[in-house]
Amino acid sequence: MTHEESFFLDRKRLFAGLCTDMTERLTATVQKRRKASLALAGGTTPGPLYEALSNTPLPWAKITCTLTDERWVSPADPASNEYLIRDTLLRRRAADAGFVGFKTNHAKASGGAATTEKRIAPLMPFDICLLGMGPDGHIASLIPGAEGYAAAADPAGSRKVAGVHAPGAAGSPERMTLTLAGILSSRRVVMLFMGQDKLAIYNEAKEGRGESPVRDLLQQKKTPVHAFWAP
C-alpha cells in the first residue's frame, strides 16, 4: 500500500479539490454501508473546507462527525474545536449530520478519556480522519514534549483516546486527543496542510527522518494516508 499526495498551485484549488474528494468518498461510503463517519481536525486551517462542505448536497442524515482532538474548555467557548465544527460545518445542508463531542465534565482530559473512547467507539473505524499539522509536526493533539505524549503516540498502544497536557499549546494546555492507534483505526487518513515549512516537515517524515508523529503515520502501511497541500 502506498500513500497518496495531491499538491495544488494555490489554497483555493486545494480546498475545492479536497471538498470534491471527500464528497465523492462519503457518497460512495453511504451507498455501500448506509452510513459514514468523520473525525475532524480543529484549528484555523480547515475552516474553508468545512464552509464548503456545509453547503454540499450529501446524505448528511447518515453521516456522523466527531473530533480528532479537543481543547479542555466548554463547547460554547470559541477556542473549542466542537464550537468550530458547529459554527462552520454543521449548518445549512450539513445541519442534519450527527455529532459526537469529546468534552466531558471531568476536571482533566485524562479523567474523561475512557468515557470519550466509549462514546466514539460506534463510529470506528472512521471512514475519513482529517488531520492538520502544527508547525512542530504535531497531528491532532499529539504534541511532542507534552505530558502523556509518549503513550498517546505509541502506534502499538491499546487506547484510542488520551488526555495530554501541553503547557505551550494555544487555546488550552489541557487537551484530549485521538492516540496514534486511534488515528490508525481509520479506513483513510487525510492530511491537510499548507506552506513550505510544513512541506519540509512532511518530506522529512516521509523519508523516515525527524521525531514528529507524522513520521510514524507515514511510515506505517496499515492505514492509507492522502496528503493535500498548497503553498
Side-chain angles (χ1 to χ4, degrees), residues 4 17-18 55 74 83 94 124 136 139 175 196:
E4 294 179 83
L18 182 49
N55 218 14
S74 161
Y83 182 98
M124 301 176 95
D136 57 355
I139 49 176
R175 304 284 187 98
Q196 297 297 338

Side-chain angles (χ1 to χ4, degrees), residues 79-159:
S80 147
N81 288 339
E82 177 173 338
Y83 182 98
L84 169 79
I85 301 299
R86 291 189 184 282
D87 189 52
T88 56
L89 176 64
L90 300 178
R91 54 203 191 89
R92 299 194 287 230
R93 288 175 170 169
D96 290 339
F99 180 80
V100 180
F102 271 29
K103 184 71 171 67
T104 67
N105 292 326
H106 296 82
K108 292 186 73 173
S110 54
T115 303
T116 299
E117 186 163 333
K118 226 172 272 177
R119 207 185 267 177
I120 66 170
L123 306 183
M124 301 176 95
F126 305 119
D127 292 297
I128 299 173
C129 178
L130 177 70
L131 298 172
M133 190 202 304
D136 57 355
H138 82 258
I139 49 176
S141 282
L142 297 175
I143 301 168
E147 191 183 313
Y149 169 76
D154 178 3
S158 59
R159 299 297 301 270

Side-chain angles (χ1 to χ4, degrees), residues 8-203:
F8 296 84
L9 292 173
D10 58 60
R11 297 181 182 193
K12 187 178 176 184
R13 289 179 221 197
L14 164 67
F15 288 118
L18 182 49
C19 184
T20 299
D21 178 87
M22 288 181 70
T23 299
E24 289 171 354
R25 286 177 186 273
L26 289 169
T27 301
T29 299
V30 172
Q31 284 171 349
K32 185 176 169 186
R33 296 197 184 90
R34 295 196 287 280
K35 62 180 182 178
S37 61
L38 290 172
L40 298 170
T44 53
T45 301
L49 172 67
Y50 298 155
E51 296 275 0
L53 281 171
S54 75
N55 218 14
T56 301
L58 276 160
W60 285 109
K62 297 176 180 176
I63 297 170
T64 306
C65 307
T66 188
L67 303 165
T68 58
D69 61 319
E70 182 59 285
R71 296 162 174 175
W72 214 240
V73 296
S74 161
D77 188 322
S80 147
N81 288 339
E82 177 173 338
Y83 182 98
L84 169 79
I85 301 299
R86 291 189 184 282
D87 189 52
T88 56
L89 176 64
L90 300 178
R91 54 203 191 89
R92 299 194 287 230
R93 288 175 170 169
D96 290 339
F99 180 80
V100 180
F102 271 29
K103 184 71 171 67
T104 67
N105 292 326
H106 296 82
K108 292 186 73 173
S110 54
T115 303
T116 299
E117 186 163 333
K118 226 172 272 177
R119 207 185 267 177
I120 66 170
L123 306 183
M124 301 176 95
F126 305 119
D127 292 297
I128 299 173
C129 178
L130 177 70
L131 298 172
M133 190 202 304
D136 57 355
H138 82 258
I139 49 176
S141 282
L142 297 175
I143 301 168
E147 191 183 313
Y149 169 76
D154 178 3
S158 59
R159 299 297 301 270
K160 303 291 194 290
V161 176
V164 298
H165 187 81
S172 167
E174 193 69 20
R175 304 284 187 98
M176 185 179 282
T177 183
L178 290 177
T179 60
L180 188 55
I183 290 166
L184 295 175
S185 297
S186 305
R187 292 191 170 96
R188 182 168 182 258
V189 172
V190 171
M191 287 184 67
L192 168 64
F193 59 105
M194 297 178 288
Q196 297 297 338
D197 290 354
K198 291 183 182 179
L199 183 62
I201 294 169
Y202 169 83
N203 284 331

